[in-house]
Every structure is written in C-alpha cells, then in structure tokens.
Amino acid sequence: MASRKTSQRNRDDADKYSVLLPTYNERENLPLIVWLLVKYFGESGYNYEIIVIDDGSPDGTLDVAEQLQKIYGEDKILLRPRAKKLGLGTAYIHGMKHATGNFIIIMDADLSHHPKFIPEFIEKQKEGNYDLVSGTRYQGNGGVYGWDLRRKLISRGANFLTQMLLRPGASDLTGSFRLYKKKVLESLVERCVSKGYVFQMEMIVRARQLNYTIGEVPISFVDRVYGESKLGGNEIVSFVKGLLTLFATT
C-alpha cells in the first residue's frame, strides 16, 4: 500500500499549482492567507507557487508581500504588481503570464476563501479529470457566514436569476474560488468581456458553451474580517446589465 501511495504522489509531482492572489488594500489579510496556503500545500505535498498581483494598494500591501517573499522564498512567493487598479480579469491575465504551473487556482486574498479546501479541489479534479473545479456555497455542506440579510439576498437572488436565464450547469455562479487547467483558463479569459462582479459568472457560462467539464466542491464562505467589501450599488447594477447581455448573446 505504501509503494502505491508513493507512486501516486510521484505522478502528482508532475503537476504544479499556481495560486493567483489579486490584492488591493489587503495588508492585514495577506500574511495569514499566505501562511495558510503554505501550511495546506505543505501538508498535502503538492507543488505550488503563490503569485501576488497588487494593484497599487495605498495601504502598503506590496511592502508586506515583499516581507513574505523574504520569509518563504522567491520560488514560492512571486510578486507581480501593477501601478493601479485595472480589474480582476486583467489581473488574471497578468498573473497567468508569470505562472509556471499547469493548474491555476483563483481565490480572494481577504480570508473569505479558506485554503483548507484546496486539497479537496485537487482531489476532485483528479477524480474526474475536470477542466475546472468551482467552490460552491449552495450545495452539500457549503454555506455563507458573516453576511447580513441584504448580502445574502443579493447573492441568492443573483444566483437564482442566473440559473433561470442561463442554465449554466453549476450551482454557484458568482463565487471566485476555483481551480482551472491553465489552458482552459487562458481560453476562457480570452473570450470573457465582463468586468467586476459578473466576470466570474461569465467564466462558467463560457465554459459550458465550450463543453468544458465542471466539478464542484462545497465550501464555507466567511465574510472578510479586515477591510471593506468591494460590493456596492454600482456592482449590482453592472451585474444585472451583464446578466442580461449574456442572456441575449449566449
């Protein structure tokens, strides 16, 4: 049995996981999320790198990232900053250019996504050779913690509307905790035109159009402890516009 496990891990060693962490004013959160990533990757034995894409945070997030790089090493923490806020989609494109892994993990840096789920994502992907694995708050023992009623209603409502209009074949469209084959993510990002809150939804819709396979892992989503949520009225209006555009064009 031991030799079987060893051979399995040797096969896995060919895989490398690049975690893309877009940041903006995450100086308090970044040290903990990086520590947790290092912990869970270290325990599971998978090869990884963490790419921090800071968009000119005025709170000194990049200074913190530089200290973390000194602690964990330049081979594990890559800093790929940009001068200003340029949007999530372009952050992923920027990060992918520097990623050396054949798998890409996207997640928030604000501790709402716990790295403990990453080994489950990897196991799920291997189980079905899925093109992408998405964390879901709406299946199994998944859930949301720390949101007020307004936020819960917005999220549930957005997901319900999307399910009704687009039939996407996935239970959580607006989440942003996912594992992609690198080539699949490159293909999807090329085709996506949305920005902001609707971007993640379009990624799933485009994946369905291209017949990519989607696996799901139930996750617990916890509202940020430090900093402010970036979801406001403008994002909600943009989401509705984006949803209607996708409905009309897909």
Side-chain angles (χ1 to χ4, degrees):
M1 177 65 92
S3 62
R4 185 177 163 190
K5 282 186 178 178
T6 302
S7 65
Q8 177 65 42
R9 183 45 48 88
N10 286 340
R11 287 200 300 274
D12 292 345
D13 282 347
D15 293 326
K16 183 174 182 180
Y17 299 87
S18 298
V19 182
L20 303 188
L21 277 186
T23 58
Y24 187 77
N25 287 350
E26 300 290 359
R27 116 175 241 121
E28 292 98 343
N29 295 316
L30 192 61
L32 187 49
I33 194 71
V34 167
W35 180 82
L36 287 168
L37 283 164
V38 171
K39 169 182 162 65
Y40 285 98
F41 271 114
E43 289 177 357
S44 58
Y46 294 112
N47 192 12
Y48 73 97
E49 63 185 2
I50 302 165
I51 302 176
V52 180
I53 307 143
D54 187 64
D55 275 4
S57 297
D59 73 340
T61 298
L62 186 57
D63 295 334
V64 171
E66 288 170 353
Q67 292 301 313
L68 293 169
Q69 188 180 55
K70 289 176 184 175
I71 294 168
Y72 296 109
E74 293 183 8
D75 59 325
K76 293 302 182 189
I77 310 294
L78 284 70
L79 308 183
R80 297 295 180 263
R82 304 189 296 177
K84 60 180 180 179
K85 247 183 144 176
L86 297 168
L88 199 55
T90 60
Y92 292 149
I93 293 168
H94 184 69
M96 278 191 295
K97 286 177 183 173
H98 303 282
T100 59
N102 56 323
F103 287 94
I104 303 283
I105 294 168
I106 63 169
M107 64 189 299
D108 294 342
D110 62 5
L111 301 175
S112 56
H113 298 144
H114 201 300
K116 69 181 180 182
F117 294 109
I118 288 176
E120 293 181 42
F121 279 45
I122 294 172
E123 288 163 20
K124 184 72 175 181
Q125 191 282 323
K126 292 182 181 302
E127 175 189 302
N129 192 27
Y130 291 107
D131 293 308
L132 73 99
V133 175
S134 180
T136 176
R137 298 161 290 181
Y138 305 126
Q139 291 289 328
N141 58 356
V144 174
Y145 303 91
W147 276 2
D148 59 19
L149 183 60
R150 172 182 168 273
R151 284 294 301 274
K152 287 182 178 178
L153 286 173
I154 290 170
S155 180
R156 282 283 187 179
N159 210 58
F160 176 76
L161 275 174
T162 307
Q163 296 289 347
M164 291 291 292
L165 291 175
L166 301 178
R167 307 288 180 189
S171 63
D172 191 342
L173 279 297
T174 56
S176 54
F177 193 3
R178 295 176 186 163
L179 164 66
Y180 291 88
K181 291 180 179 177
K182 185 180 181 182
K183 290 181 179 178
V184 169
L185 182 57
E186 287 171 339
S187 171
L188 291 172
V189 168
E190 274 179 14
R191 289 169 171 80
C192 283
V193 296
S194 306
K195 294 180 180 178
Y197 195 53
V198 78
F199 175 80
Q200 303 293 359
M201 177 181 69
E202 185 180 355
M203 294 281 278
I204 293 287
V205 173
R206 300 294 178 200
R208 183 207 60 183
Q209 280 184 322
L210 296 168
N211 294 316
Y212 288 135
T213 54
I214 304 172
E216 292 191 309
V217 170
I219 62 164
S220 302
F221 178 97
V222 181
D223 196 23
R224 62 164 53 246
V225 177
Y226 299 108
E228 296 181 3
S229 169
K230 298 170 180 75
L231 176 64
N234 289 339
E235 284 74 18
I236 296 167
V237 171
S238 296
F239 170 80
V240 174
K241 286 181 180 175
L243 174 60
L244 294 175
T245 300
L246 281 175
F247 178 64
T249 57
T250 60

